[in-house]
Amino acid sequence: MAQLRLALAQINPTVGDLRGNADLIRDRARRAVAEGAHLVAFPEMSLVGYPVEDLALRSTFVDASREALIQLAADLDKDGHGEVPVVVGYLDHAPHETAESDPARPLPQNCAAVLHRGEVVARYAKHHLPNYGVFDEYRIFAPGQDLTVVRVYGVDVAIAICEDLWQEGGPVALTRAAGAELLLVINGSPYEQDKDDTRLELVRRRAGQAGCALAYLNLVGGQDELVFDGDSVVVDTGGEVLARGPQFEESVVTVDLDLTSSTVDPEHTPAGVEHVNLGDDPVPTYAAEPATLVPRLEPVAEVWAALVLGLRDYVRKNGFRSVLLGMSGGIDSAVVATLAADALGGENVVGISNPSSYSSQHSKDDAAALAQALGADYRVIPIAPMVDAFQAGLSLTGVAEENLQARIRGVVWMGLSNQEGHLVLTNGNKSEVSVGYSTIYGDSVGGFAPIKDVPKTLVWQLARWRNEEAVRRGEKPPIPESSITKAPSAELSPGQVDQDSLPPYELLDPLLDLYVEEARGRDELITAGFDEEVVDRVVALVDRAEWKRRQGAPGPKISPMAFGRDRRLPITSRWREQDARSATAGGDDAAAATTMERSDPAAEELRQKTQRSDPAAKEP
């Protein structure tokens, strides 16, 4: 048997900050070496940040990545860590002989490098390039062709990158053929609800297929709409978990492995395998230390942690120190404000109450109580005089008058943002974003939307969980109970509640889940038990709101189908789901179906009502 202490450094790099990322890698390498690591690994693209998107197509950026890698190897050696091999994800040019690379315009590659004794001693390029959901790698990168195996203290370690693990065959099959004792997979795998269970099942299955232990190392941190959750894991050949890192936190996860010494002749490896020998002599026998094994978060706590991390990193990585939002006393603004306080500290949260003539006293009281509990900077700026001034010149009525209130509030928020340097947060949840229940250039203004991918019913769950968590900590629950229990309302007209315009959220969210997340058609929704009239109205609202969503702020992705790069639909389109039933019938029937949908008075009334503002932002 051969012992090997492996250190998996799940770190939070920043896209484009090559110097800062290199310093982070050096610091974590120092910690790992101090803990006696024999091999240290860092996640996918950790030197340049991930995903770099079309930055990868700029040769200057690729050249800078290559230069930073060479400098990092020299710096690690200068730091006294040169004898410990370090695996780092970075961006490189594809070799000219790569078939997919145009010599006149070389394509980049998503790569891993092995650094040792001040040199780059081995290189591996990602084979399988995802082209679904948020990923565009097939368009950007050239795929790798060979598996890299590095012998470390007599143990053969195969290297793969993220999607290489998700695809059958490929590097996993080559790992078995090469006789490696450990498959090290570096990842940039974004968070989605319940994904950690899927990953663990995959890792266990692939370990069996590769015939060796498997180490899965993932990024941590927020990058625009993506959140990387860490959750690194090491399993043995039989799938038993040997070590597991924390979720949503940076950490150096160490594990002592007992592996079989390699018997492979490096001079006679299978086709498609590049073997680099860094040393045949095994590590002297030592006493193993207990491995890192961090318990998983419960489902709602996991979502909260993802939203906090995504918000914190978006604010800090974009150079802001504080945020500003409309505090209405409603559930959405209460949850967003509490997320912001957890992410940045309550002293860095500015809450603005903009009461109008329709704002209830209980809503104003709830907003003030929330701000006090969070320690936020709370300001009351009535908008009734501003509305009167606009109305004196415009004389708007109905929905246009209601939307005017929302737009005046948006002007107030953005004005304070410009003056004082805060990032404005918008409070819209996924249910409202889906059906367009917001005022464009009103409550939808802002630079970041923390609950954009959170359905309304989950917003309530998050609020209750956060209050319960406060009790567990011996603290006062921050969110007023009445903000959780009262009926959501935009308070833009007397006695208004959301349910005047929308189905109950307990009905709406499951319908939206099937239509948006699973792309079910109209007839499938009706077969699933939803009322035909409700289906037609909700589907029409979702389709018509695409132009609003396209102008919305980014927000952290927590679902498999978030609005943004996950779901790309045209704004200009005459297709309606109701057309599907009659499209095959031809001419008159199809035309009639389209005409009926457009002229349905009830649908038009509902469409106008749902142009109103976000209930959470419209109740100051």
Side-chain angles (χ1 to χ4, degrees):
M1 299 294 288
Q3 288 184 289
L4 187 74
R5 180 167 292 176
L6 172 67
L8 304 177
Q10 50 179 56
I11 62 170
N12 185 351
T14 299
V15 167
D17 186 9
L18 276 65
R19 178 173 296 178
N21 296 339
D23 288 343
L24 181 61
I25 291 168
R26 290 173 67 184
D27 178 74
R28 298 306 187 270
R30 176 186 57 77
R31 295 188 194 182
V33 172
E35 294 179 9
H38 305 121
L39 175 65
V40 185
F42 292 86
E44 180 177 9
M45 292 286 227
S46 50
L47 184 56
V48 295
Y50 185 76
V52 295
E53 302 184 59
D54 282 9
L55 276 177
L57 299 176
R58 298 187 182 181
S59 59
T60 51
F61 187 63
V62 182
D63 290 342
S65 170
R66 290 163 57 94
E67 292 168 7
L69 182 74
I70 294 169
Q71 184 63 51
L72 176 61
D75 288 340
L76 288 170
D77 190 52
K78 183 175 64 176
D79 293 340
H81 312 322
E83 291 300 321
V84 179
V86 175
V87 180
V88 177
Y90 77 109
L91 179 67
D92 202 346
H93 289 297
H96 286 292
E97 62 270 16
T98 301
E100 290 79 3
S101 183
D102 180 357
R105 181 178 173 272
L107 286 176
Q109 285 187 317
N110 181 338
C111 292
V114 181
L115 312 181
H116 188 235
R117 295 178 178 173
E119 303 289 339
V120 180
V121 296
R123 174 188 184 277
Y124 171 84
K126 189 174 183 178
H127 289 202
H128 297 289
L129 304 173
N131 197 45
Y132 55 83
V134 300
F135 300 106
D136 282 323
E137 294 200 0
Y138 187 80
R139 179 177 67 85
I140 297 172
F141 297 118
Q145 298 174 342
D146 297 324
L147 176 69
T148 297
V149 176
V150 179
R151 182 165 295 175
V152 180
Y153 294 107
V155 174
D156 281 350
V157 181
I159 298 171
I161 301 177
C162 204
E163 190 72 12
D164 294 338
L165 191 69
W166 292 84
Q167 302 298 324
E168 295 289 343
V172 174
L174 278 173
T175 297
R176 175 177 281 276
E181 286 77 43
L182 172 66
L183 174 56
L184 172 62
V185 187
I186 63 173
N187 299 265
S189 180
Y191 168 75
E192 292 172 9
Q193 289 173 279
D194 302 321
K195 193 174 184 180
D196 61 333
D197 294 332
T198 304
R199 286 185 193 138
L200 180 57
E201 179 184 348
L202 173 73
V203 166
R204 284 172 163 159
R205 186 168 68 253
R206 294 292 189 245
Q209 293 170 343
C212 65
L214 194 155
Y216 177 100
L217 168 61
N218 196 23
L219 279 170
V220 172
Q223 171 58 30
D224 294 344
E225 294 178 310
L226 302 182
V227 180
F228 299 95
D229 55 322
D231 195 25
S232 303
V233 63
V234 182
V235 302
D236 64 16
T237 309
E240 179 182 352
V241 175
L242 303 177
R244 198 159 190 183
Q247 296 168 279
F248 309 105
E249 296 178 16
E250 291 188 281
S251 177
V252 177
V253 181
T254 57
V255 57
D256 287 313
L257 301 173
D258 287 320
L259 304 169
T260 304
S261 297
S262 177
T263 59
V264 172
D265 181 357
E267 301 298 324
H268 297 87
T269 56
V273 175
E274 295 288 336
H275 195 288
V276 177
N277 191 347
L278 300 183
D280 291 304
D281 295 334
V283 174
T285 302
Y286 65 91
E289 296 287 340
T292 305
L293 277 168
V294 181
R296 302 301 87 200
L297 298 172
E298 59 178 291
V300 179
E302 184 181 275
V303 171
W304 188 273
L307 298 175
V308 167
L309 179 57
L311 171 57
R312 178 189 298 127
D313 275 3
Y314 190 86
V315 171
R316 292 181 176 173
K317 290 181 180 180
N318 282 289
F320 291 94
R321 295 183 179 178
S322 56
V323 295
L324 179 149
L325 71 151
M327 269 193 196
S328 69
I331 185 65
D332 293 332
S333 65
V335 167
V336 170
T338 308
L339 284 166
D342 283 1
L344 306 167
E347 69 277 8
N348 295 311
V349 178
V350 179
I352 306 297
S353 172
N354 296 129
S356 73
S357 57
Y358 301 116
S359 298
S360 63
Q361 187 60 46
H362 68 78
S363 293
K364 291 184 280 188
D365 291 344
D366 287 343
L370 173 72
Q372 183 178 21
L374 298 177
D377 177 356
Y378 182 62
R379 311 177 195 178
V380 179
I381 304 175
I383 63 167
M386 304 179 207
V387 173
D388 291 343
F390 270 89
Q391 282 292 71
L394 296 174
S395 300
L396 302 177
T397 61
V399 172
E401 180 184 3
E402 293 177 6
N403 286 340
L404 175 62
Q405 298 173 63
R407 291 182 176 126
I408 288 173
R409 287 170 177 143
V411 170
V412 171
W413 303 337
M414 292 307 299
L416 291 172
S417 169
N418 291 161
Q419 180 71 26
E420 300 176 6
H422 314 293
L423 174 69
V424 176
L425 304 181
T426 180
N427 297 319
N429 61 65
K430 190 170 190 175
S431 307
E432 295 164 351
V433 171
S434 296
V435 297
Y437 194 74
S438 64
T439 299
I440 195 77
Y441 319 126
D443 57 292
S444 65
V445 303
F448 199 66
I451 58 173
K452 176 182 180 179
D453 199 31
V454 182
K456 185 79 168 190
T457 48
L458 182 52
V459 173
W460 276 306
Q461 292 180 53
L462 288 168
R464 293 188 181 98
W465 174 86
R466 182 60 181 82
N467 278 358
E468 292 167 359
E469 180 66 13
V471 172
R472 285 192 289 269
R473 297 176 186 173
E475 302 168 354
K476 180 182 178 181
I479 301 175
E481 184 64 21
S482 56
S483 291
I484 300 174
T485 57
K486 66 187 173 188
S489 170
E491 292 193 339
L492 296 176
S493 60
Q496 179 200 25
V497 294
D498 291 7
Q499 204 164 317
D500 294 338
S501 304
L502 300 172
Y505 287 109
E506 293 77 9
L507 173 64
L508 178 63
D509 283 354
L511 195 162
L512 291 173
D513 183 67
L514 291 177
Y515 185 57
V516 175
E517 303 280 337
E518 300 185 21
R520 300 281 188 92
R522 174 186 183 275
D523 290 346
E524 292 177 288
L525 298 175
I526 295 171
T527 300
F530 294 98
D531 179 78
E532 182 174 351
E533 181 182 1
V534 171
V535 168
D536 285 344
R537 291 187 178 186
V538 170
V539 164
L541 290 171
V542 173
D543 291 349
R544 287 171 174 154
E546 188 62 35
W547 69 283
K548 284 188 179 182
R549 288 191 291 272
R550 195 70 67 88
Q551 299 180 68
K557 167 185 165 68
I558 65 165
S559 74
M561 185 61 69
F563 290 119
R565 288 184 295 177
D566 275 331
R567 187 177 186 269
R568 310 176 198 183
L569 293 175
I571 296 174
T572 305
S573 171
R574 292 190 177 181
W575 170 257
R576 298 291 180 262
E577 266 303 308
Q578 293 90 326
D579 298 346
R581 183 172 50 175
S582 54
T584 56
D588 294 341
D589 288 342
T594 304
T595 303
M596 285 177 62
E597 190 279 323
R598 289 176 178 166
S599 61
D600 177 4
E604 179 61 19
E605 179 186 5
L606 185 57
R607 183 190 70 79
Q608 291 185 4
K609 286 181 178 179
T610 53
Q611 288 182 350
R612 292 179 176 142
S613 307
D614 170 18
K618 291 300 158 300
E619 201 181 293

